[in-house]
Amino acid sequence: MQNLLKEIHDSISLVETNRTDNNLSKIEKTKLEETLMALTNMERTIINETNTNMLSKLSASTPALTELINDMASSTEKLDELNSKLRKIINIINFLKF
């Protein structure tokens, strides 16, 4: 769980750094805002929920993260690192389910 929380914090930091980049389009910045909201909700879930509830809520959020990854995949290379982090978060959640 600590690894997941660390990846979420690292991803939030990347979003914060990238969302002020003037070279990103308005659509890319919107996707970053959506990503930030999703990651913040995941962080709150980890902190506030019991293990059973937490995994079900985290699992429910993975499709939204996958969609954001796909939406940002065609964006600039600056978002590649964030997409990689988001994929790692999804992999950790999938691992924790089993």
Side-chain angles (χ1 to χ4, degrees):
M1 205 52 64
Q2 289 177 347
N3 286 341
L4 178 58
L5 203 51
K6 180 192 177 308
E7 290 300 326
I8 290 172
H9 286 165
D10 289 350
S11 297
I12 288 172
S13 178
L14 272 173
V15 169
E16 292 288 344
T17 301
N18 283 320
R19 71 185 190 153
T20 58
D21 187 336
N22 292 330
N23 293 323
L24 295 178
S25 70
K26 188 173 182 176
I27 293 172
E28 290 169 325
K29 288 184 179 184
T30 300
K31 292 300 174 186
L32 287 174
E33 292 297 325
E34 291 174 21
T35 303
L36 182 61
M37 287 187 303
L39 291 169
T40 303
N41 287 338
M42 292 176 83
E43 179 184 37
R44 285 186 195 130
T45 298
I46 291 171
I47 293 169
N48 296 326
E49 296 291 332
T50 63
N51 283 343
T52 307
N53 290 339
M54 177 181 30
L55 284 176
S56 66
K57 287 185 176 186
L58 290 175
S59 295
S61 65
T62 57
L65 278 182
T66 301
E67 185 177 330
L68 288 167
I69 290 169
N70 292 336
D71 288 348
M72 291 188 293
S74 61
S75 295
T76 61
E77 289 180 14
K78 292 182 179 190
L79 300 181
D80 288 347
E81 184 179 1
L82 177 60
N83 280 345
S84 177
K85 288 276 187 197
L86 296 177
R87 282 187 191 92
K88 193 170 186 179
I89 289 170
I90 291 170
N91 289 339
I92 292 171
I93 291 169
N94 289 334
F95 176 78
L96 290 173
K97 287 192 302 188
F98 297 105

